[in-house]
Amino acid sequence: MRTRPLKVALLGCGVVGSEVARIMTTHADDLTQRIGAPVELAGVAVRRPSKVREGIDPALITTDATALLKRGDIDIAIEVIGGIEPARTLITTAFEHGISVVSANKALLAQDGAALHAAAEQQGRDLYYEAAVAGAIPLVRPLRESLAGDKINRVMGIVNGTTNFILDKMDSTGAGYQEALDEATALGYAEADPTADVEGYDAAAKAAILAGIAFHTRVRLDDVYREGMTEVSAADFASAKRMGCTIKLLAILERAADGESVTARVHPAMIPLSHPLASVREAYNAVFVEAEAAGRLMFYGPGAGGAPTASAVLGDLVAVARNKLAEATGPGESAYTQLPVSTMGEVVTRYHISLDVADKPGVLAQVATTFAEHGVSIDTVRQQGKDGEASLVVVTHRAPDAALSGTVEALRKLDTVRGVASIMRVEGE
């Protein structure tokens, strides 16, 4: 066993970074045995050096991350700063100085993953990022390595714990969106500004990363169709229950039937209670993978939090350290298929549409005609009327999303339609 330690630079020491440092310290002997050499925390780059960080030697703290990477003895850098800059510059600096990188930065990888992989390959270094998607759940490595010999056709999952907590509370207690969000904030599941979560930006970044790995093609954040879940209402959950469904914010990644393109999208959707994802509660994450040979697989567990995310970071640290000792690198970017990413309009799906209409003869026929004119077949219709007003709930058969969107726009223009109360896709059947 090698006795000279591998030296690690920790970039960022917030919730995740402090847990990484703690585990490296408390499990140092185990890590040594698993890697084949000791790993030593050689420096911790932070923004606020005066903050007390329990268990971390103050002598390791620095505000100059660049100087830490350039000092010449660092083997591995762990980036848990988040955001685009300075993380991007620091990661490329690490590669230029012969340092492999473990990152938890989903936003950066979704935006500039291709460039970072190219920089790592040019310098013969590793870039690992299991912690960037779904926290402690082993997902990136199984897709990138365990299923490397298979063909993945679809990935559908809950990849944001905050939104799943909110929707679960709305479903189980009948709470409204704001009430459920307030509870999530009080419990620490939601940030003071929850926009990244509830508007789907966080899930979209993770979707871009997963799609690129699953389909061996480059998918950027801008390629991912995104809808938030702030408009989901108690009435939507009531309709979902009548259909034997619940509502989840889903990341859905699909290979086209002809294999010539892929799609990546994030939006709320109704899914049957019989689907495994329907039973994912609280702030947990789960990802459902459909592969040609392996069949259907589900990965489930805590998707966020300091300790779970640190677990994924340390798993990558062990893998990268082993590669370093073997003078090898692990798998890099695989984008050989170069498949185009189709627009949302080309996605084939089902819709659940709730309309406020006039309660008079001929309305249903007029609505049905509008669907027919846009080539969308109706599966079921439910109508309730009272005092000259009525609600009409239409569930469609599968059709291109563009045709469904066109139908909704045409419905809005009908004199008998007073409003489109709710639009939601139906998935997982």
Side-chain angles (χ1 to χ4, degrees):
M1 180 179 290
R2 168 174 154 163
T3 57
R4 185 176 73 80
L6 294 167
K7 295 197 173 184
V8 178
L10 180 60
L11 311 179
C13 196
V15 173
V16 175
S18 59
E19 276 295 309
V20 169
R22 182 188 67 80
I23 295 172
M24 284 186 66
T25 301
T26 58
H27 297 286
D29 291 342
D30 285 338
L31 290 172
T32 298
Q33 294 300 319
R34 293 167 190 172
I35 291 168
V39 286
E40 174 187 309
L41 191 58
V44 182
V46 300
R47 287 184 298 175
R48 298 191 299 274
S50 59
K51 181 179 177 180
V52 176
R53 294 172 172 85
E54 188 176 346
I56 297 178
D57 183 351
L60 296 177
I61 302 296
T62 178
T63 57
D64 194 341
T66 301
L68 174 60
L69 295 173
K70 289 182 175 181
R71 75 185 204 185
D73 64 339
I74 301 298
D75 297 291
I76 301 167
I78 297 175
E79 184 272 307
V80 286
I81 299 171
I84 306 303
E85 289 292 356
R88 174 170 50 197
T89 298
L90 291 174
I91 290 174
T92 54
T93 298
F95 292 145
E96 290 165 0
H97 288 78
I99 302 168
S100 290
V101 174
V102 173
S103 176
N105 196 330
K106 55 187 172 288
L108 178 57
L109 288 159
Q111 178 173 305
D112 291 320
L116 293 176
H117 274 293
E121 183 177 2
Q122 183 178 6
Q123 300 297 331
R125 300 300 158 192
D126 275 324
L127 174 61
Y128 275 53
Y129 44 90
E130 183 67 67
V133 182
I137 304 172
L139 183 60
V140 171
R141 196 172 291 118
L143 290 178
R144 194 160 72 163
E145 299 178 32
S146 303
L147 294 172
D150 208 337
K151 180 181 180 182
I152 297 172
N153 292 316
R154 196 167 196 252
V155 178
M156 182 168 76
I158 299 162
V159 294
N160 181 275
T162 300
T163 53
N164 199 58
F165 180 89
I166 293 169
L167 292 172
D168 181 46
K169 289 301 174 184
M170 292 176 71
D171 185 25
S172 61
T173 69
Y177 165 75
Q178 189 60 50
E179 183 183 352
L181 172 59
D182 290 344
E183 183 177 353
T185 304
L187 293 172
Y189 291 125
E191 301 287 345
D193 179 2
T195 303
D197 293 322
V198 300
E199 294 294 350
Y201 292 102
D202 175 84
K206 296 169 182 175
I209 295 169
L210 291 177
I213 298 169
F215 304 133
H216 303 279
T217 197
R218 287 178 178 168
V219 179
R220 289 172 50 88
L221 180 58
D222 292 344
D223 295 322
V224 181
Y225 174 84
R226 176 195 55 79
E227 282 182 24
M229 42 77 71
T230 57
E231 299 300 317
V232 177
S233 67
D236 291 325
F237 274 101
S239 289
K241 286 182 179 180
R242 282 192 286 268
M243 292 176 58
C245 292
T246 188
I247 299 171
K248 299 291 186 183
L249 184 75
L250 297 177
I252 304 173
L253 324 168
E254 295 177 299
R255 188 190 300 269
D258 62 6
E260 297 301 315
S261 65
V262 298
T263 56
R265 50 194 168 107
V266 168
H267 55 73
M270 295 182 180
I271 59 170
L273 294 174
S274 58
H275 194 283
L277 291 177
S279 61
V280 178
R281 309 296 300 275
E282 299 284 332
Y284 277 76
N285 284 193
V287 178
F288 199 71
V289 178
E290 298 179 28
E292 198 165 88
R296 297 180 173 185
L297 310 169
M298 192 166 95
F299 301 84
Y300 169 86
T309 305
S311 171
V313 170
L314 268 295
D316 278 349
L317 174 64
V318 169
V320 170
R322 287 171 175 170
N323 292 343
K324 181 81 174 178
L325 294 179
E327 298 183 348
T329 56
E333 182 189 35
S334 175
Y336 71 92
T337 62
Q338 299 183 10
L339 296 172
V341 182
S342 298
T343 64
M344 186 62 191
E346 298 172 79
V347 170
V348 177
T349 186
R350 298 178 67 203
Y351 264 32
H352 174 283
I353 304 169
S354 180
L355 306 171
D356 294 327
V357 300
D359 188 11
K360 61 182 183 181
V363 172
L364 182 55
Q366 192 176 19
V367 168
T369 298
T370 303
F371 276 88
E373 287 173 347
H374 288 80
V376 179
S377 173
I378 293 175
D379 182 16
T380 63
V381 178
R382 187 179 70 254
Q383 183 174 5
Q384 290 180 322
K386 184 179 180 181
D387 299 330
E389 296 184 357
S391 64
L392 197 64
V393 176
V394 180
V395 180
T396 72
H397 287 292
R398 289 168 58 83
D401 199 86
L404 291 162
S405 297
T407 303
V408 171
E409 289 307 307
L411 290 170
R412 293 184 194 275
K413 297 175 183 177
L414 295 179
D415 293 338
T416 52
V417 175
R418 295 174 177 172
V420 179
S422 173
I423 308 166
M424 194 167 297
R425 295 171 183 88
V426 182
E427 301 287 346
E429 296 176 300

